[in-house]
Amino acid sequence: MTHGKEQNGGFSPVGFARFVLAFGLLAWPSVAGAEPRCWAQPPGWDAGLRLPEATDINPDPRVVEVNLEARIASVEIVPGKTTRAWTYDGGIPGPLIRVHVGDRLIVHFTNRLPQPTTVHWHGVRVPIQMDGVPGISQPEVVPGESFTYDFIVPDAGLFWYHPHVMSAAQVGFGLYGALLVEDPDDKIDVPDQLVMVLSDIDLKADGSLESPETSGSAGMAFGREGDYLLVNGRTHGKLMARAGARQRWRVVNAAKSRFFDLAAPGVSFTKIGGDGGLQEYAETLKDLVLAPGERADVIVTVDAKPATEVMLTAVLYNRGYGSIEARAPVEDLLPIVVADAAPIAPSPIDFPHRPIERLDTTGATPVTMKLTIAQLFDGSFEYGINGAPYATSTPFHANVGETQVWTIVNETAWSHPFHLHGFFFQVLDDKGNAVHPIVWKDTINVPFKQTMRVAVRFEDRPGNWMIHCHVLDHADGGLMGTIVVGDVIAAHHAHEH
Ligand code: C2O
Ligand code: CU
Ligand code: CU
């Protein structure tokens, strides 16, 4: 985010802060009578990371209308090498789309890829027609064709968009972007804000895209990770910080398989929100774990000596069989350059509580979903829900207005970030009580050989909604199903049971 231009004449607090930074005359908090503020990051602190933004072509302040094109474009991921990546508007990630809660978002999407695709708005409570699932909510957008997405954005938070056709391949090739839904009444007084899209990409030595099918069926069962870690599409991003000064990061894990566990010496994360906006109350974490598809809203403070550098690292995360053996325990992700300026003594912030009512589960319908894996006669693997891969699955069912409690049992050797389209859920403990702080979720990690419970209320929006693992190889390998809300029966399943 920019703070606007410094003004000539008149008092500009930003200009003043920069003056103080440049000359080191005062520590900001000692300015007589001034509230200690949080926007004292060094000038250009996020320039090495900032995302391009989609241009709103609609003059109506409550309508954001953008064009979006999926196309192959040359990007430089490995310095000096060209990658012909699959992109939205020519970049990885795609442009940041910024709207206000309650706005209408219109996206004129055109497919210039050599393959059909769609755009799915992950986490957004859209009507089913706008959910971007081919054969269920819309036809595939074939090469050369367009589709207009048009919906009201009902919830504040960080969301994201990605294809729902050959997802492992298309997302892995670079198709994803962030959708930031801002709340003008947000009381979090940390204006230095940054959207961070975490991902990875698998490249050959010459910089070209690696096949999405490496290691065959075993690669699918594991979930293929890319070998280059990206923050906002960059392997060589950079962030600047002033010691003690707060930054607010809105982070999404857009990787097709990789879990991110972020940590850095002296860096603390105060998590204030998750998938569906602000959470019940803030919690301070030493590291921040994001499974594929998940988002976090965190206040970050760097406690380090001025004029040093701290490295934000990706700590190796155990997501099941073979995921930690013979691998580096940490990988460098993003250098944070600590400004040569007096540290700011962080003043305590009272993060506002968000009263999130726990879903009433009395009389809720219990549903069990076992995440399964089978080895077929030819030796290949097939994931499923309750033993059935997507292709032969029977839809789950819910009535409009119904509350269900899902027990998601992971019988496999790999963790599965389980995602529901179109609705949020709340996580329950093993006694069925809400886990605090309550946060609206659309993706929850179900660790290998473990069980998670969630409560979900299908408040409206009848339709046929997807459930799937967000390790996209797993989804494509069968770990996907549907839930029919209301009495819509999708063509796909109409004659399968
Ligand atoms: Cu990001 Cu079907 O999901
Ligand atoms: Cu989704
Ligand atoms: Cu999975």
Side-chain angles (χ1 to χ4, degrees):
M1 267 185 58
T2 62
H3 305 289
K5 287 262 173 301
E6 286 176 47
Q7 272 126 40
N8 299 316
F11 176 71
S12 154
V14 173
F16 180 71
R18 286 182 183 161
F19 173 80
V20 170
L21 284 176
F23 296 97
L25 299 177
L26 301 165
W28 180 243
S30 64
V31 174
E35 271 272 294
R37 298 285 301 209
C38 315
W39 29 254
Q41 299 300 334
W45 67 283
D46 65 346
L49 217 52
R50 200 180 311 145
L51 293 166
E53 295 195 20
T55 315
D56 179 7
I57 54 173
N58 194 309
D60 186 328
R62 302 309 312 273
V63 181
V64 173
E65 186 168 2
V66 303
N67 293 307
L68 188 71
E69 194 175 83
R71 61 168 183 263
I72 294 180
S74 295
V75 296
E76 188 180 294
I77 291 164
V78 186
K81 288 180 184 162
T82 298
T83 301
R84 299 283 291 163
W86 291 34
T87 73
Y88 290 117
D89 286 4
I92 297 182
L96 170 63
I97 302 175
R98 194 188 283 272
V99 303
H100 286 127
V101 64
D103 281 357
R104 176 176 170 198
L105 175 61
I106 304 170
V107 179
H108 302 285
F109 172 69
T110 303
N111 179 11
R112 304 246 174 258
L113 299 169
Q115 217 175 61
T117 192
T118 57
V119 185
H120 167 60
W121 305 91
H122 182 124
V124 183
R125 296 193 292 164
V126 292
I128 189 67
Q129 296 80 3
M130 296 293 127
D131 199 42
V133 178
I136 288 185
S137 34
Q138 66 168 106
E140 291 183 329
V141 186
V142 298
E145 296 274 282
S146 296
F147 186 89
T148 296
Y149 295 91
D150 184 346
F151 52 87
I152 303 289
V153 185
D155 302 288
L158 181 67
F159 300 90
W160 65 297
Y161 58 95
H162 63 77
H164 230 282
V165 176
M166 316 263 300
S167 309
Q170 293 195 359
V171 171
F173 287 170
L175 289 168
Y176 40 83
L179 167 64
L180 180 62
V181 186
E182 294 179 300
D183 180 357
D185 295 327
D186 189 321
K187 297 282 187 308
I188 314 291
D189 191 20
V190 183
D192 289 316
Q193 226 189 102
L194 179 68
V195 173
M196 238 186 232
V197 179
L198 308 177
S199 64
D200 63 12
I201 194 164
D202 209 7
L203 302 178
K204 296 184 189 149
D206 65 356
S208 63
L209 294 169
E210 182 57 89
S211 155
E213 255 131 46
T214 48
S215 311
S217 184
M220 181 284 292
F222 176 71
R224 301 168 181 95
E225 297 181 13
D227 42 10
Y228 289 90
L229 277 63
L230 306 179
V231 181
N232 289 354
R234 298 154 169 97
T235 48
H236 294 84
K238 190 176 85 174
L239 190 63
M240 290 188 267
R242 183 167 184 191
R246 294 186 179 90
Q247 304 186 353
R248 181 177 180 186
W249 298 357
R250 320 293 298 266
V251 197
V252 52
N253 181 356
K256 58 182 177 170
S257 297
R258 182 185 293 269
F259 285 55
F260 278 93
D261 181 354
L262 305 182
V267 172
S268 73
F269 302 95
T270 302
K271 182 166 175 281
I272 60 170
D275 297 350
L278 296 178
Q279 59 195 43
E280 196 182 14
Y281 51 84
E283 49 187 340
T284 298
L285 308 170
K286 283 206 62 194
D287 61 336
L288 181 69
V289 176
L290 285 166
E294 285 188 307
R295 287 88 68 205
D297 189 346
V298 286
I299 308 296
V300 178
T301 0
V302 179
D303 179 15
K305 285 209 176 68
T308 57
E309 189 178 290
V310 295
M311 183 59 77
L312 180 69
T313 57
V315 179
L316 190 58
Y317 187 82
N318 187 357
R319 63 176 183 86
Y321 181 75
S323 67
I324 55 168
E325 289 79 359
R327 293 179 75 178
V330 286
E331 284 185 74
D332 290 352
L333 192 62
L334 181 72
I336 303 174
V337 178
V338 185
D340 189 5
I344 291 175
S347 59
I349 295 196
D350 236 353
F351 291 108
H353 286 218
R354 177 183 179 191
I356 301 180
E357 219 176 296
R358 67 166 287 249
L359 286 172
D360 183 2
T361 53
T362 36
T365 314
V367 177
T368 299
M369 296 176 176
K370 285 187 184 150
L371 313 183
T372 53
I373 191 166
Q375 198 163 15
L376 306 182
F377 63 91
D378 64 354
S380 67
F381 294 99
E382 186 179 75
Y383 278 108
I385 301 175
N386 293 343
Y390 179 58
T392 60
S393 63
T394 304
F396 292 85
H397 186 265
N399 293 315
V400 171
E402 183 176 337
T403 300
Q404 299 190 340
V405 171
W406 291 1
T407 302
I408 311 167
V409 184
N410 183 354
E411 298 186 330
T412 77
W414 290 279
S415 300
H416 301 299
F418 198 72
H419 172 50
L420 166 66
H421 283 208
F423 299 87
F424 293 123
F425 50 75
Q426 293 179 357
V427 179
L428 308 177
D429 65 17
D430 51 9
K431 291 179 191 64
N433 298 315
V435 172
H436 294 279
I438 299 178
V439 56
W440 290 113
K441 295 285 293 166
D442 55 59
T443 307
I444 181 74
N445 183 34
V446 188
F448 55 94
K449 303 287 182 195
Q450 287 185 44
T451 295
M452 296 294 288
R453 281 170 192 78
V454 302
V456 53
R457 187 167 174 273
F458 296 95
E459 73 275 5
D460 53 15
R461 283 165 302 109
N464 198 349
W465 300 93
M466 306 301 292
I467 46 176
H468 63 87
C469 178
H470 226 287
V471 170
L472 297 172
D473 278 319
H474 295 177
D476 289 356
L479 217 173
M480 184 151 71
T482 53
I483 174 152
V484 175
V485 178
D487 38 38
V488 185
I489 300 286
H492 173 79
H493 288 286
H495 37 251
E496 282 176 7
H497 54 101

